[in-house]
Amino acid sequence: MSAKPKVAVYKFSSCDGCQLQLLNLEDELIDLAGIVELAYFLEARRQTLPGPYDVGIVEGSVTTLEEAERIQHIRRDCKFLLTIGTCATAGGVQALRNFADVQEYAAAVYAHPEYLKTLATSTPMSAHVKVDLELWGCPVNKYQLLEVIASLVQQRRPALPQYSVCLECKRRGTTCVIVANGIPCLGPITRAGCGAICPAYARGCYGCFGPLPTAEFEAFNPILKATERRPGEGLRLLRTISPAAPGFEKAAKLIAFEETKHA
């Protein structure tokens, strides 16, 4: 990698929140611009420099045929591909279409759905190309994003949390919402990074930062079911923010199977 690597930032189907986290690095942004060349970043500058690029940062999911083709070109243009945010790593909220009929959804929202060109599913970038590193979150933690970029420049492994949201709750002194209030919460099976914001306000974790790789999903499912306040709440929780994340997808299928079996 060159002394000042060229970085390209791309947007797919998303809300822009994750790439904006780069611009939210108010105190660190000038220093960051001094060590990398933001060669392609339409959210931040009009000038673009031609590839190839040392690092490609991708936000958003693949929801159209054009996007499926575009990510192939980006992968060829970038030596290292980093996907950021729940949309890029797990399909995002728009992956709710994966469990329904997208044409039915379109007909309910648009006056002329026949003009839409969309895929039946919303999928993460890893379903289409080789991804070198995934950074989870909705949005991503801006300091984790800075850490990944710094680690690439310094040619070292990034120091990212390898524990669940529960530890962040303990550090904040937040009472466990599952134990104390019987609230459904994905904290025990979700990777840390958000600072346990929702439990701090007596809300269960929605799993924005994706499944913890070491989580025991089968062991956690009965706990999730036991805290349901209405039928199907646990299944909906697993399928809300990161529905296409492998761990959550597996846990949701197990719950759906059990519910079908006992229906």
Side-chain angles (χ1 to χ4, degrees):
M1 196 174 286
S2 61
K4 195 171 182 180
K6 292 168 68 176
V7 176
V9 183
Y10 303 96
K11 170 185 163 56
F12 281 69
S13 292
S14 62
C15 70
D16 287 37
C18 288
Q19 59 177 315
L20 282 175
Q21 287 292 68
L22 268 173
L23 300 181
N24 286 337
L25 288 164
E26 295 96 343
D27 296 332
E28 299 84 6
L29 192 57
I30 293 178
D31 290 335
L32 179 63
I35 61 172
V36 300
E37 177 69 56
L38 293 173
Y40 183 93
F41 190 4
L42 299 182
E43 194 78 32
R45 59 185 299 191
R46 287 184 296 174
Q47 182 186 15
T48 61
L49 302 178
Y53 305 107
D54 294 294
V55 181
I57 300 175
V58 177
E59 175 200 89
S61 65
V62 172
T63 62
T64 66
L65 183 60
E66 290 77 12
E67 287 179 330
E69 295 171 351
R70 182 179 172 224
I71 191 57
Q72 299 292 337
H73 295 296
I74 290 173
R75 175 68 271 193
R76 288 192 289 269
D77 256 0
C78 301
K79 296 178 184 177
F80 187 96
L81 190 66
L82 167 67
T83 56
I84 61 172
T86 303
C87 295
T89 56
V93 174
Q94 55 268 35
L96 287 170
R97 71 171 71 174
N98 299 3
F99 312 104
D101 184 343
V102 69
Q103 299 304 326
E104 184 179 335
Y105 275 180
V109 174
Y110 296 97
H112 294 283
E114 65 272 17
Y115 297 143
L116 295 177
K117 292 183 179 180
T118 186
L119 297 174
T121 58
S122 172
T123 48
M125 293 299 153
S126 59
H128 301 270
V129 296
K130 178 183 180 294
V131 173
D132 297 299
L133 183 64
E134 294 178 324
L135 193 59
W136 296 70
C138 187
V140 290
N141 182 309
K142 63 182 181 180
Y143 297 112
Q144 286 188 7
L145 182 54
L146 181 64
E147 163 63 15
V148 170
I149 295 173
S151 72
L152 291 172
V153 173
Q154 297 163 0
Q155 299 185 39
R156 60 173 175 81
R157 185 187 298 273
L160 299 173
Q162 300 299 317
Y163 45 83
S164 74
V165 171
C166 293
L167 182 55
E168 293 185 309
C169 276
K170 294 295 184 184
R171 287 174 172 171
R172 289 186 68 143
T174 300
T175 301
C176 178
V177 298
I178 297 177
V179 175
N181 308 106
I183 295 175
C185 176
L186 298 183
I189 59 172
T190 299
R191 69 182 74 213
C194 64
I197 297 172
C198 292
Y201 291 91
R203 299 291 300 270
C205 170
Y206 290 89
C208 299
F209 274 68
L212 182 70
T214 57
E216 296 289 345
F217 298 101
E218 290 188 46
F220 179 71
N221 272 358
I223 299 174
L224 186 59
K225 287 292 293 179
T227 55
E228 284 188 346
R229 293 163 293 184
R230 58 189 67 88
E233 187 174 18
L235 182 60
R236 288 193 295 272
L237 191 58
L238 287 165
R239 287 179 170 175
T240 297
I241 302 295
S242 307
F248 288 167
E249 190 174 38
K250 178 182 177 182
K253 285 180 178 178
L254 288 171
I255 287 181
F257 175 74
E258 289 296 323
E259 290 181 352
T260 303
K261 189 169 66 173
H262 294 101

